[in-house]
């Protein structure tokens, strides 16, 4: 244990308004901490730069899952266990439910939050590929009001995002329009549980008249931040599912992906496996097999 | 074959002796303990692999007067850890030879302050060129140890290897490599030390060998035996990682206790334990094998090389065991084994379950499959044709005087795993499947106990006593760290004395109280120490019958009454026995000829492996372990040892990689040193054949290390079966499989290249 | 600069406890140092090994990752709360019988994870047991006898609850 609890300030104002006021009055000073599954690891390693933390844990306005007619809203403070246990997520957004079950362990899932996963912004974030595949929107909140942006635009660089200094991630919105889509999610880690993704691919597509429409591909660990694979999507949009298309899509992915060599894996491995996952998805679409 | 004698406690699944404490959270591990006025210790470590220490600078913002500071200059006795060769300094003195080498120690009453203070000490070096690989060390261009980097070498010769090549029908060569492996005991290394003029040094700690630590502390502090006391605390896993390292951390904490005048607790966090403590020796083994037209071994020329790290510690004995296991369980008339351990500027490697045998057996058992492929023979049949049998001689000239039942173990393993049927089925199914499956086999022995004259040198003493309070205690320095020492030795004592198992306890593992029954290593405890407890218990009954009126049959009450009568006569009730070598053990250390081990345990293992060609990941789907380990003293404990060893062997093969960057372990966290989880281990099926060994406790031979010897080659043999690709190195990660297996990426028509 | 300590109240194994500590102090350290409940262990400090697992308001958490401020006014259950009047509970009995504990250091966390699993899923399949315990590393057993222990405990509870069922 290399962190010093005595050198850390941690407060829990208890309400969303109180937290937002604090962040407005002292922008950039207070780092929000939700379930702590990232920040407490950094603290234990002696690497927690932030000395002032404000706790979001237990704020009811942040921890909820609500279904409306056309969309589902997930509070940023919802834990992955909340997602696994919420029926509408399992029914309408099975990839997200699956991703939630792949986070760490049961003990991690009961504390790690969807919002924390996104704001931490690791390129290997487990929830991101599914959120890209589902065209998620994120809602940001401050004393100045709320705004929504496409999740696809949220990450801007390595551990950088569009949150202003006084903003919190408030909610994630998912459109309920994927019932007729083919869906795919696969994560490749160092082992079956408790593994950071070496690479992961999430995908949805609507097959219409033998052609692929509204292709959405989200990847982990192919770039400095979670990414949509726009060029690969473009290579598939409107195309029929032929061997040639699969080959070209693989090519597009190999060119678009920018993974690195790091302590967990190599760039070449990540690229090739990502291409294999894409092919697996496309073949499944062809044979009508949906589940992975 | 002997049938085991009927027993009521030995062989029965009695409750683990210390099980209730472990299950209720009452068991006290060293970090659960506190001593009055206790301070906390921390270590400043080298950040370079080799160099001279130019200066040590203390940040002026810290009030260093609050701290106890210890350097090599503070060592009262010898600044050396006493192991086989005393070349490892307790604290670096002017020079460092590996990353994370201990340079300076700090202690303070506040745990957080001492941890922060480590970062406030800056060491400046004049770096020297390090040697970081076996090959660099072999070249001897840069000498970093002794005169020539060579820590140890052996040469074993049998028959005439040179003459065999020309008459061979086949000659097959291969090179095999194994990586370092970390023990990853869930409890990190930790100790608490006290030091005062009157009592000397007292150390509590997570450790395997109290008397090893005792010996080292005597030397570091220049104290006589009665002024050093070492007490083992409940130990959360060891696997060899707490055989010699506790002498290092123990000396450190004791030096700080001496300097500060306070008890000092030193418990490593996971990052420090991973980076700075011992691991399994990496190895490179080369085989050149001659066979006749029927696939029978004519000659084996083997080169065994290990990386010892910066100091020799246990490299010579690990090399010894690797050498003696290098030929596998096979009969070969002509053998030459040249083995060497080379120094490098990495954290010294040490003992780890198997102790050289996993490395050697990986090589020979992979090589047997390569031979089989080269000569077009079934790898099972190749092994069967060459198995040692009773009456055969090994590479050291040891005659197999006990029956060798490898054939039976093999048949059992093949049957239980449905080996041939599966191989056939997988061969068919693999053609149309992205997941390729295969079956692989390994056959091996593991020498029980110390090599050759080792046990005679240890001269172990052990026994039982009965206290005034009516406690019957087993007196040993052999320690419990999960493998069942406490249970098995009290079972043996209870069985022999004819009293209830519940009446037996273990005397505290305290060098002040117990005799030296030798280190808890080398799979010797049940066999050697168990035998001593058996003899000492019988000896006590003899004395009670002769001098205290105990009858031939007796009740528990009568037993204790007789003990009190004996106590009245003699003042105490204690019975100790010293090791006696079994007859006919002849061993020549110079030529490495003779009886290498008093007994061998034998095993055949089978792995069913699936290789996913989408992700290039290999997983073990199912595993079978069939072994003969003498008498099984406790079916649950024995089964647990096999399963645990197999799981570690699976990790060794497919998951666990020590990533070194300039000699420092870069992946020194549990998030990136990967061991299999509950979702990764396959079903493991365990079968015992029992052949009681006359000279082991109730017929037992060693079994703790055996199961770790076989999984890696069985798994890579299965991968070869599944994919047709031969891999020669472990750990074998998906990235390695990808490099060899991935076909060239197909180029699409019309696509830009 | 020393942070302001706070008073935290928790229910621990059914008893009301209060401590005065830095808000960022790990729940693990509060249990071990301030409440002297040393049954919960630190194996890694990074939420990877599960030795520090406890239940917090019925959820399984890694106490090394919980700042004690976030545990305020919660009900904490640790290994020390499993046995009653010194008698092992059926899960502990099963571990003892089946060899689910060797060195014992992972055992407290493993028992809490198994307890959490069985409370939600009294008759889990082996696959569900594997998933439920995936966050608890054991280096000694290879997990096999831990699975057997949980299966045995589940079977025993089924017999106890329906002694007359077929």
């Amino acid at each position: 244990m290399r962190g010093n609890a005595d050198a850390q300030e941690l407060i829990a104002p208890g309400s969303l308004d109180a937290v937002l006021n604090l962040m407005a009055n002292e922008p950039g000073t207070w780092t929000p901490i939700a379930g702590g599954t990232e920040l407490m690891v950094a603290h234990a390693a002696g690497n927690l730069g932030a000395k002032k933390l404000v706790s979001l844990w237990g704020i009811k306005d942040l921890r909820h899952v609500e279904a409306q007619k056309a969309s589902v809203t997930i509070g940023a403070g919802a834990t992955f266990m909340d997602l696994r246990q919420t029926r509408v997520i399992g029914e309408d957004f099975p990839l997200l439910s699956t991703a939630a079950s792949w986070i760490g362990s049961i003990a991690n899932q009961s504390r790690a939050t969807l919002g924390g996963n996104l704001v931490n912004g690791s390129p290997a974030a487990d929830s991101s590929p599914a959120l890209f595949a589902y065209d998620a929107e994120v809602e940001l909140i401050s004393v100045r009001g709320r705004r929504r942006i496409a999740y696809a635009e949220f990450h801007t660089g390595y551990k950088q995002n569009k949150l202003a200094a006084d903003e919190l991630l408030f909610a994630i919105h998912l459109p309920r329009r994927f019932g007729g889509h083919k869906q795919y999610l696969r994560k490749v880690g160092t082992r079956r549980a408790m593994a950071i993704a070496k690479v992961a691919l999430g995908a949805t597509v609507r097959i219409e008249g033998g052609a692929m429409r509204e292709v959405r591909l989200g990847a982990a660990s192919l770039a400095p931040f979670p990414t949509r694979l726009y060029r690969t999507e473009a290579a598939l949009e409107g195309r029929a599912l032929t061997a040639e298309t699969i080959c070209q899509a693989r090519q597009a992915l190999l060119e678009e992906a920018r993974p690195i060599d790091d302590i967990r894996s190599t760039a070449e491995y990540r690229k090739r496996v990502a291409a294999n996952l894409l092919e697996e998805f496309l073949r499944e679409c062809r044979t009508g097999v949906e589940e992975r | 074959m002997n049938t085991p004698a009927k027993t009521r406690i030995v062989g029965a699944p009695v409750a683990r002796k210390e099980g209730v404490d472990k299950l209720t959270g009452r068991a006290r591990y060293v970090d659960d303990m506190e001593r009055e006025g206790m301070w906390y210790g921390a270590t400043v470590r080298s950040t370079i692999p080799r160099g001279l220490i130019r200066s040590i600078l203390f940040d002026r913002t810290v009030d260093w007067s609050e701290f106890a500071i210890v350097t090599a200059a503070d060592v009262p006795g010898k600044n050396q850890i006493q192991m086989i060769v005393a070349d490892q300094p307790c604290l670096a003195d002017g020079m460092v030879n590996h990353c994370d080498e201990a340079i300076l120690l700090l202690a303070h009453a506040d745990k957080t302050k001492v941890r922060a203070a480590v970062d406030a000490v800056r060491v400046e070096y004049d770096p020297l060129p390090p040697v970081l690989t076996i090959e660099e060390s072999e070249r001897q261009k840069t000498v970093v140890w002794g005169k020539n980097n060579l820590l140890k070498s052996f040469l074993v010769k049998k028959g005439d290897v040179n003459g065999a090549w020309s008459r061979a029908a086949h000659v097959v060569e291969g090179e095999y490599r194994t990586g370092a492996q970390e023990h990853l005991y869930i409890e990190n290394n930790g100790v608490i030390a006290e030091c005062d003029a009157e009592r000397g040094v007292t150390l509590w700690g997570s450790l395997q060998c109290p008397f090893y630590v005792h010996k080292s502390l005597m030397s570091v502090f220049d104290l006589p035996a009665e002024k050093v006391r070492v007490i083992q605390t409940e130990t959360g896993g060891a696997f060899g990682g707490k055989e010699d390292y506790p002498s290092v951390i123990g000396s450190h904490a004791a030096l700080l206790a001496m300097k500060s005048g306070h008890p000092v607790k030193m418990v490593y966090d996971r990052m420090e334990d991973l980076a700075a403590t011992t691991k399994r020796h990496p190895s490179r083994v080369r085989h050149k094998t001659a066979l006749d037209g029927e696939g029978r071994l004519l000659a084996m020329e083997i080169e065994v090389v290990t990386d010892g790290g910066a100091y020799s510690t246990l490299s010579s004995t690990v090399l010894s065991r690797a050498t003696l296991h290098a030929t596998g369980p096979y009969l070969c008339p002509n053998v030459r084994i040249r083995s060497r351990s080379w120094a490098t500027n990495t954290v010294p490697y040490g003992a780890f379950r198997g102790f050289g045998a996993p490395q050697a057996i990986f090589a020979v058992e992979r090589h047997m499959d390569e031979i089989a492929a080269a000569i077009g023979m079934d790898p099972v049949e190749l092994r069967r044709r060459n198995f040692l049998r009773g009456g055969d001689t090994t590479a050291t000239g040891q005659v197999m005087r006990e029956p060798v039942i490898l054939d039976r173990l093999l048949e059992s393993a093949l049957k239980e795993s449905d080996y041939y049927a599966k191989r056939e089925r997988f061969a068919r199914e693999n053609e149309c499947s992205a997941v390729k499956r295969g079956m692989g086999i390994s056959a091996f022995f593991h020498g029980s106990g110390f090599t050759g004259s080792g046990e005679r040198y240890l001269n172990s003493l052990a026994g039982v006593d009965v206290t005034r309070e009516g406690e019957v205690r087993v007196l040993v320095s052999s320690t419990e760290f999960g493998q069942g020492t406490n249970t098995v030795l009290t079972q043996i004592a209870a069985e022999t004395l004819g009293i209830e198992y519940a009446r037996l306890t273990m005397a505290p593992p305290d060098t002040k109280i117990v005799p030296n029954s030798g280190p808890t290593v080398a799979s010797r405890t049940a066999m050697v120490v168990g035998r001593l407890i058996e003899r000492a218990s019988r000896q006590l009954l003899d004395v009670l019958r002769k001098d205290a009126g105990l009858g031939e049959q007796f009740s528990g009450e009568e037993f204790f009454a007789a003990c009190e009568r004996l106590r009245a006569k003699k003042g105490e009730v204690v019975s100790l026995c010293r090791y006696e070598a079994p007859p006919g053990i002849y061993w020549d250390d110079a030529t490495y000829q003779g009886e290498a081990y008093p007994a061998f345990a034998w095993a055949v293992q089978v792995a069913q492996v699936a290789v996913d060609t989408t992700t290039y990941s290999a997983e073990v789907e199912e595993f079978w372990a069939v072994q003969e380990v003498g008498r099984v003293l406790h079916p649950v404990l024995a089964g647990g040892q096999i399963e645990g060893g197999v799981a570690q062997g699976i990790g060794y093969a497919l998951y666990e990689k020590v990533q070194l960057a300039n000699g420092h372990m870069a992946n020194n966290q549990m998030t990136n040193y990967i061991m299999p989880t509950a979702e990764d281990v396959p079903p493991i099926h365990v079968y015992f054949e029992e052949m009681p060994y006359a000279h082991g406790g109730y017929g037992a031979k060693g079994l703790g290390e055996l199961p770790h010897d076989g999984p890696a080659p069985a798994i890579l043999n299965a991968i070869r079966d599944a994919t047709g690709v031969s891999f020669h190195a472990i750990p074998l990660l998906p990235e390695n499989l990808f490099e060899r297996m991935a076909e060239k990426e197909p180029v699409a028509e019309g696509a830009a290249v | 600069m020393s942070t302001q300590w706070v008073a935290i109240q928790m229910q621990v194994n059914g008893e009301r406890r209060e401590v005065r500590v830095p808000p960022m102090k790990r729940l693990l350290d509060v249990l071990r140092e301030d409440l002297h409940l040393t049954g919960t262990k630190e194996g890694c400090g990074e939420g990877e090994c599960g030795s520090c697992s406890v239940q917090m308001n019925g959820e399984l958490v890694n106490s090394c990752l919980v700042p004690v401020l976030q545990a305020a006014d919660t009900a904490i259950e640790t290994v020390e709360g499993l046995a009653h009047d010194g008698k092992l509970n059926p899960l502990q009995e099963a571990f003892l019988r089946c060899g689910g504990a060797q060195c014992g250091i992972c055992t407290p966390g493993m028992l809490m994870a198994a307890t959490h699993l069985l409370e939600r899923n009294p008759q889990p399949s082996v696959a569900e047991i594997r998933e439920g315990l995936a966050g608890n590393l054991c280096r000694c057993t290879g997990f096999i006898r831990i699975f057997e222990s949980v299966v045995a405990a589940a079977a025993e509870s089924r017999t106890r609850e329906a002694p007359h069922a077929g």
Side-chain angles (χ1 to χ4, degrees), chain A residues 2 191-192 250 265 269, chain B residues 269 615 619 675 735 745:
Chain A
R2 301 177 185 207
R191 55 191 174 188
R192 285 190 175 217
R250 285 184 68 102
S265 190
Y269 174 84
Chain B
D269 67 13
T615 62
E619 281 186 321
M675 67 163 267
E735 287 77 5
E745 184 65 27

Side-chain angles (χ1 to χ4, degrees), chain A residues 6 8 34 55 84 110-111, chain C residues 3 5 48 60 65 70 131:
Chain A
D6 255 317
Q8 298 286 149
S55 175
R84 289 184 73 181
S110 64
R111 290 274 294 166
Chain C
T3 199
W5 289 24
E48 289 283 326
L60 189 70
L65 297 184
Q70 292 184 345
E131 192 207 358

Side-chain angles (χ1 to χ4, degrees), chain C residues 54-73:
Chain C
V54 299
Q55 291 208 85
M56 185 167 91
N57 281 355
E59 296 286 353
L60 189 70
V61 299
N62 287 322
S63 62
C64 74
L65 297 184
V66 178
V68 70
L69 184 66
Q70 292 184 345
D73 305 311

Side-chain angles (χ1 to χ4, degrees), chain B residues 530-651:
Chain B
R531 186 79 172 146
L532 289 176
I533 299 305
E534 210 189 317
R535 281 174 47 210
S537 301
R538 236 180 274 123
Q539 181 176 269
L540 177 60
L541 287 183
D542 288 344
V543 169
L544 288 171
R545 284 182 179 123
K546 191 162 77 76
D547 294 339
L550 185 68
E552 268 312 303
Q553 313 280 40
F554 52 86
S555 68
E557 265 173 34
E558 286 164 351
F559 174 84
F560 287 101
C563 287
E564 289 321 299
R565 289 194 291 274
L566 188 66
R567 192 187 313 282
K569 275 192 186 175
K570 300 275 172 74
E572 59 177 5
V573 183
V574 62
S575 169
L576 297 174
C577 281
R578 224 173 246 296
Y579 173 75
E580 277 165 14
I585 298 236
Y586 159 79
W587 176 252
D588 185 336
D589 252 323
T591 58
Y592 252 52
Q593 291 291 301
E595 322 276 321
Y597 298 99
F600 294 85
W602 306 87
V604 174
Q605 293 181 347
V606 177
Q608 176 180 320
V609 176
V611 179
D612 186 338
T613 58
T614 303
T615 62
Y616 313 100
S617 309
E619 281 186 321
V620 182
E621 292 190 315
E622 211 166 344
F623 200 94
W624 297 262
V626 186
Q627 47 273 311
E628 188 268 287
V629 298
R631 174 95 186 269
V632 174
L633 303 182
H634 190 304
V636 174
L637 295 185
Q641 282 297 287
I642 302 298
E643 291 145 12
V646 166
Q648 279 185 323
I650 292 173

Side-chain angles (χ1 to χ4, degrees), chain B residues 441-520:
Chain B
I441 201 160
S442 63
F444 49 99
F445 62 69
H446 196 93
S448 299
F450 267 53
T451 307
S453 43
E455 285 296 336
R456 230 180 272 127
Y457 169 75
L458 284 175
N459 201 23
S460 299
L461 185 67
V464 292
D465 74 356
V466 183
T467 67
R468 268 175 217 289
E469 294 76 28
E471 266 192 317
V472 184
R473 307 189 306 175
V474 169
L475 303 169
V476 292
S477 64
S478 307
T479 53
E480 172 70 54
F481 35 89
Q483 81 285 45
T485 301
N486 291 353
T487 307
V488 154
L489 295 183
T490 50
Q491 273 180 291
I492 287 174
E495 184 77 57
T496 316
L497 292 171
I499 59 176
E500 290 306 307
Y501 170 67
R503 289 308 293 260
L504 265 295
T505 60
M506 299 292 289
D510 178 341
T511 55
K512 197 161 169 197
I513 299 174
V514 295
N516 188 351
S517 59
T520 323

Side-chain angles (χ1 to χ4, degrees), chain A residues 1-4 186 188 190-193 196 198 244 247-248 250 254 263-265 268-269 272 276, chain B residues 112 269 271-272 612 614-616 619 655 659 666 674-675 679-680 734-735 738 742-743 745 748-749:
Chain A
M1 174 58 179
R2 301 177 185 207
N4 183 1
R186 189 163 177 191
V188 179
T190 49
R191 55 191 174 188
R192 285 190 175 217
I196 297 178
K198 294 186 191 182
E244 166 116 6
C247 196
Q248 286 174 350
R250 285 184 68 102
L254 289 171
I263 208 156
R264 264 180 293 281
S265 190
E268 285 311 305
Y269 174 84
R272 180 64 76 95
N276 291 348
Chain B
T112 353
D269 67 13
M271 289 172 71
E272 182 168 24
D612 186 338
T614 303
T615 62
Y616 313 100
E619 281 186 321
Y655 296 91
Q659 297 184 38
I674 305 298
M675 67 163 267
E679 292 207 59
D680 299 294
E735 287 77 5
F738 159 67
E743 284 147 20
E745 184 65 27
E749 272 175 27

Side-chain angles (χ1 to χ4, degrees), chain B residues 709-731:
Chain B
D709 291 340
I715 289 166
L716 267 71
N717 287 342
I719 291 174
R720 192 192 200 289
D721 185 47
T723 64
V725 183
S726 285
F727 293 95
H728 297 252
I730 53 173

Side-chain angles (χ1 to χ4, degrees), chain A residues 1 5-12 33-37 39-41 43-44 48 53 55-57 63 81-82 84-85 101 104-111 191 193-194, chain C residues 1-6 22-26 29 42 45-49 53 56 59-62 64-71 116 120 131-137:
Chain A
M1 174 58 179
D6 255 317
Q8 298 286 149
E9 257 191 87
L10 171 63
I11 57 172
I33 177 173
T37 55
L39 295 177
M40 292 300 281
V41 176
H43 175 52
L48 185 57
L53 302 174
S55 175
L56 305 179
W57 187 256
R63 185 175 177 176
M81 192 54 78
D82 292 341
R84 289 184 73 181
Q85 289 172 345
S101 74
S105 60
I106 303 281
N108 293 128
Q109 290 162 27
S110 64
R111 290 274 294 166
R191 55 191 174 188
M194 305 287 290
Chain C
M1 174 235 124
S2 205
T3 199
Q4 178 93 317
W5 289 24
V6 293
M24 196 61 170
K25 189 165 185 177
R26 302 181 304 179
D29 297 321
E42 174 164 3
E46 5 160 352
E48 289 283 326
C49 75
S53 304
M56 185 167 91
E59 296 286 353
L60 189 70
V61 299
N62 287 322
C64 74
L65 297 184
V66 178
V68 70
L69 184 66
Q70 292 184 345
H116 181 263
R120 267 152 199 69
E131 192 207 358
L133 302 183
N136 293 75
L137 297 180

